Each structure stands twice: as structure tokens, then as C-alpha cells.
Amino acid sequence: MPVITKIFYKESSDKYWIYIDNDYCTSVRARTFKAMDLEVGREITCPELKELENHHFKHQYGQKSWQQEKVRIDKVKEIIESVSPNLSVSIVGFGADSDEFIPQHPDESGAPDLAVVNNDTGSIVMRVEVTGTEAMRGSDYWVRPDKLTYCQNHSDENVWIVLHYQKPTEKFVFIKPDPTKEYTHKVINIRNTDEHYVIFNDTSPEVKPEEQFRQELLLN
């Protein structure tokens, strides 16, 4: 069985270079390395190591998180469809209509889960990214930077982020990012992995009332 024979940290890229049976295999991000239990002498093949690194977060959160994401998407879809019978919702996000693990990556990081179409004109009036957690902890709302980067790269689109929490009581949070704003992220260690989030709260100008979200669905 192949084994890890050398681990070398490269500061310029903030990655660990991993050698298996004395041959270079791949590099691993420092932010995920400490959660992957990699050490010299561990038995693992190069393809197995690459798969672990490429899909670290999907493996870390597991099947249950995918199932919870499906619940969140269905809840937000119900809100949108209740606004007007002239609106239809297409689930377009990568893997958003499935609770099964999908090993590939989307073509564009942060692409929204939902496209809302005006049935009369056929135009997309809004794109909606759905996120959140089963239980809300604290009073802040955490959004991954790639979700905001998508908004900046598509300033011509009406993009919203809706967070859904089931516990302690069901709650929806509606965020409309500013595509002209450069957001700074915070590093938060979760399950021994350094994750990056932009932090919002109820005083953030991007956090909007549900009524505004509903009104903008009817603009076109």
C-alpha cells in the first residue's frame, strides 16, 4: 500500500506538498491540512489524497448537510412562488436539486441556486443563493466570500442571498449584497478547518426586510 513519505510546507503558496512513495503527489491547502489527519507513514494512494483535498468540505459536512440544504431551498422556493403566480423558480445551482453527494465542482464558484423567471416576459428577475444552518448560533449571519464575489462579477443581475435557520425558531434573513463594495472576510475555525466568512448582522445595510425582497420580485 502506498504511504506518505514526505510533507513539505511551502510558505509562498500557503500549501503543504505531499509526497507518496517519495514522489510528489499534490498540494493541500493549509486551511484544510490540519483537519485531514495527514502524516508521514499514513497509507493512502495519490488519487485518494487528491479526492480528499478537492472535496474536503463536502466530506467534512457529509450527507446530512446536503439534505438540510435541500430543505432550505424548498422553503425559499415556497416564499417566492407565494408572491405571484406569474413567477416560476428554476433550481439552477450545482447540485441544488439533489440531496446526494456530487463529487464535481460547479463551473463558477458562488453561482446562485435559484433563477426566478417572470412568466409573462420570460426574463430572469432575480437570482437567489440559499444558505444557512440548521441551528442559528449568536446574532450574526455568515456568508462565504465566493457568494459575494459572484454578485460583484454580475452587477447587472438582481442577486440576493437568503439564509434559513430551523432552530431555535424558524427564521429567514434576506441579504442584498452591494456589488461595488469590497468585503473583508474573517477566518473562523470550524471542525479544525479554517473557513472564510463575511459577517453581517441586523445593522448591516445589506440586510433587508422580507417585504423588499418580495417587492423586487415584481419589478419586471
Side-chain angles (χ1 to χ4, degrees), residues 32-50:
T32 61
F33 174 82
K34 51 191 168 185
M36 294 176 64
D37 194 28
L38 300 176
E39 60 183 5
V40 172
R42 175 177 171 177
E43 294 185 346
I44 190 171
T45 67
C46 188
E48 288 172 342
L49 176 58
K50 289 179 178 179

Side-chain angles (χ1 to χ4, degrees), residues 47-199:
E48 288 172 342
L49 176 58
K50 289 179 178 179
E51 200 275 339
L52 281 177
E53 163 62 4
N54 289 337
H55 309 295
H56 170 73
F57 291 102
K58 292 179 180 179
H59 287 297
Q60 183 181 38
Y61 289 101
Q63 182 74 18
K64 183 179 178 181
S65 68
W66 283 69
Q67 294 168 344
Q68 292 170 348
E69 183 70 7
K70 181 70 162 52
V71 170
R72 286 190 284 271
I73 287 173
D74 288 343
K75 290 278 189 177
V76 174
K77 188 170 178 283
E78 287 176 8
I79 290 178
I80 296 170
E81 291 174 338
S82 72
V83 172
S84 169
N86 286 333
L87 297 175
S88 60
V89 183
S90 297
I91 300 177
V92 296
F94 187 79
D97 59 346
S98 172
D99 58 9
E100 297 297 323
F101 175 84
I102 298 176
Q104 295 82 21
H105 290 292
D107 292 334
E108 181 174 4
S109 178
D113 298 308
L114 307 177
V116 185
V117 177
N118 182 309
N119 294 329
D120 292 333
T121 64
S123 61
I124 295 177
V125 298
M126 185 183 291
R127 293 189 183 274
V128 182
E129 171 64 22
V130 181
T131 185
T133 56
E134 182 178 16
M136 182 176 178
R137 297 176 178 85
S139 57
D140 294 332
Y141 314 124
W142 301 0
V143 177
R144 294 186 186 278
D146 62 327
K147 312 300 183 184
L148 301 168
T149 299
Y150 179 91
C151 300
Q152 294 166 339
N153 292 339
H154 299 270
S155 59
D156 58 323
E157 298 179 352
N158 187 15
V159 181
W160 285 70
I161 298 171
V162 180
L163 295 91
H164 173 258
Y165 305 96
Q166 296 183 48
K167 302 174 183 178
T169 58
E170 186 171 52
K171 181 176 183 176
F172 294 89
V173 179
F174 301 87
I175 295 176
K176 185 174 185 180
D178 181 351
T180 67
K181 185 174 180 179
E182 290 295 328
Y183 292 96
T184 57
H185 68 262
K186 181 178 180 180
V187 178
I188 301 174
N189 189 272
I190 301 175
R191 301 183 185 182
N192 212 28
T193 297
D194 290 336
E195 300 200 29
H196 298 171
Y197 289 98
V198 176
I199 309 299

Side-chain angles (χ1 to χ4, degrees), residues 202-213:
D202 288 330
T203 66
S204 301
E206 294 88 351
V207 178
K208 308 294 185 182
E210 181 178 345
E211 184 58 29
Q212 181 174 338
F213 174 77

